Amino acid sequence: ALCSQFTPDNIQYERMDGDVTMQCGSLDSDASVTWKVNGTDVKAHHREEGSRLILMEVDLSNNGLYSCFQNPNGERRDQINLRIGSNSNDHHFPLSFSAHGQHNQESLEVTRDVVHKNRCHVLFPEVFSSYPYRVNVTAVNALGKASTTITFEEINIVKPDPPERVVATPIPSNVRRLEYFLRYRPLIRDQWQHVELTDSTAHTITDAYAGKEYIIQVAAKDMEIGTWSDWSVAVHATPWMDKPQQIPSTTEQEPLLGTYPNPDPNRSPPPTSKNRSSVRTPTLTQTLTQTDPLHHRARTAPRYVPQP
């Protein structure tokens, strides 16, 4: 598929470092002529052979508009715009492009872009194919041609359409996004625990001691600018504890209060007193204070409640 092509008249393209021959129109090879470049005498290394001008080992300084005049009346017979380039990749020269695509050993349709002259479109016959695509692009100018081949997978270049019906709503008071840093400790201790909060304004403390009063403080910082604020005024809080429950009694005496954990089989009751042999050895029931969702590790020591 041809992407662009341009071939102007009276322009001669030549490769750098070589000799260049220019012919003065249709004059005979033995005609007597005078050559000018950009209106002045030709000073570059050259020689003249009849109606021809030969420049030796040209470079970019030889670019220009060359005119030839027939002697003796000085009539201008021709003009040549000389352009020197290094190779076929020289972008200063008009180029034509051709592109050919292949997918899974089949040729692809390649079309020229109607707006961008140096752009082509390759039609994908299969969406999200597991086979790679192969595209060969060849550039041609007056100095020759050069080709390059690229291989790609469609999944790496797929591009969605831009979003539509985008709405922007002003936020009052120039609200900024903040991140927070929380610290807490039991009132009876000096060591702080720290938690960084970047996506939330709430946090559940899961390692608090049951029944212990805590001190909690928070600092804030803009997520894009500035530094951390000072610590907030301290807040005091105590983890929730379950209310005591009644323990059933086997006698007529007043019931005892407590809570019910799993009994510890490794603990044995205290020894019976020798001076009170008429009293039965009490049965001990281990109780452990429960904790609320604020924490998951209770630190309250178990206590034992005697039952007659």
Side-chain angles (χ1 to χ4, degrees), residues 76-308:
R76 190 180 69 188
R77 302 300 302 267
D78 199 4
Q79 281 189 316
I80 300 173
N81 196 346
L82 180 63
R83 291 289 178 263
I84 306 299
S86 57
N87 51 48
S88 56
N89 291 326
D90 196 318
H91 298 292
H92 295 91
F93 287 10
L95 297 172
S96 65
F97 295 92
S98 62
H100 303 277
Q102 189 176 36
H103 174 255
N104 194 19
Q105 298 182 350
E106 295 184 1
S107 296
L108 301 178
E109 179 182 352
V110 182
T111 58
R112 175 183 173 180
D113 191 283
V114 296
V115 177
H116 303 279
K117 65 178 183 178
N118 295 337
R119 180 181 298 178
C120 294
H121 299 277
V122 180
L123 178 63
F124 292 160
E126 182 179 351
V127 179
F128 302 118
S129 170
S130 59
Y131 293 97
Y133 289 84
R134 183 183 179 90
V135 177
N136 178 273
V137 179
T138 301
V140 181
N141 65 14
L143 302 182
K145 64 181 180 179
S147 299
T148 185
T149 301
I150 58 174
T151 302
F152 61 91
E153 295 182 2
E154 181 190 358
I155 193 173
N156 295 327
I157 65 170
V158 64
K159 180 179 179 180
D161 293 335
E164 298 180 354
R165 294 186 292 274
V166 178
V167 178
T169 304
I171 300 177
S173 303
N174 191 26
V175 177
R176 306 284 300 184
R177 290 188 60 192
L178 299 178
E179 56 181 324
Y180 300 92
F181 208 74
L182 176 139
R183 71 176 184 177
Y184 60 94
R185 65 175 175 84
L187 184 62
I188 61 175
R189 294 192 176 183
D190 296 328
Q191 184 176 1
W192 293 92
Q193 299 281 87
H194 295 85
V195 178
E196 186 174 0
L197 306 176
T198 56
D199 298 321
S200 175
T201 57
H203 178 70
T204 300
I205 298 175
T206 60
D207 59 351
Y209 291 95
K212 302 297 182 181
E213 184 178 358
Y214 273 76
I215 301 176
I216 302 172
Q217 290 181 295
V218 179
K221 177 184 175 299
D222 191 291
M223 297 189 70
E224 297 179 1
I225 60 175
T227 60
W228 286 100
S229 70
D230 295 332
W231 289 108
S232 66
V233 176
V235 174
H236 293 249
T238 302
W240 170 86
M241 294 181 63
D242 195 6
K243 295 181 178 180
Q245 300 180 9
Q246 288 190 353
I247 300 177
S249 175
T250 57
T251 67
E252 297 297 329
Q253 67 183 46
E254 292 295 323
L256 300 174
L257 299 179
T259 55
Y260 293 89
N262 295 326
D264 186 355
N266 297 323
R267 298 296 298 271
S268 59
T272 303
S273 172
K274 294 182 180 180
N275 296 328
R276 302 182 63 182
S277 59
S278 60
V279 180
R280 293 181 302 169
T281 302
T283 302
L284 299 183
T285 302
Q286 179 187 0
T287 63
L288 178 64
T289 302
Q290 292 179 314
T291 61
D292 69 344
L294 192 64
H295 59 88
H296 65 269
R297 294 185 301 189
R299 295 293 186 267
T300 303
R303 63 187 177 90
Y304 293 85
V305 180
Q307 293 182 352

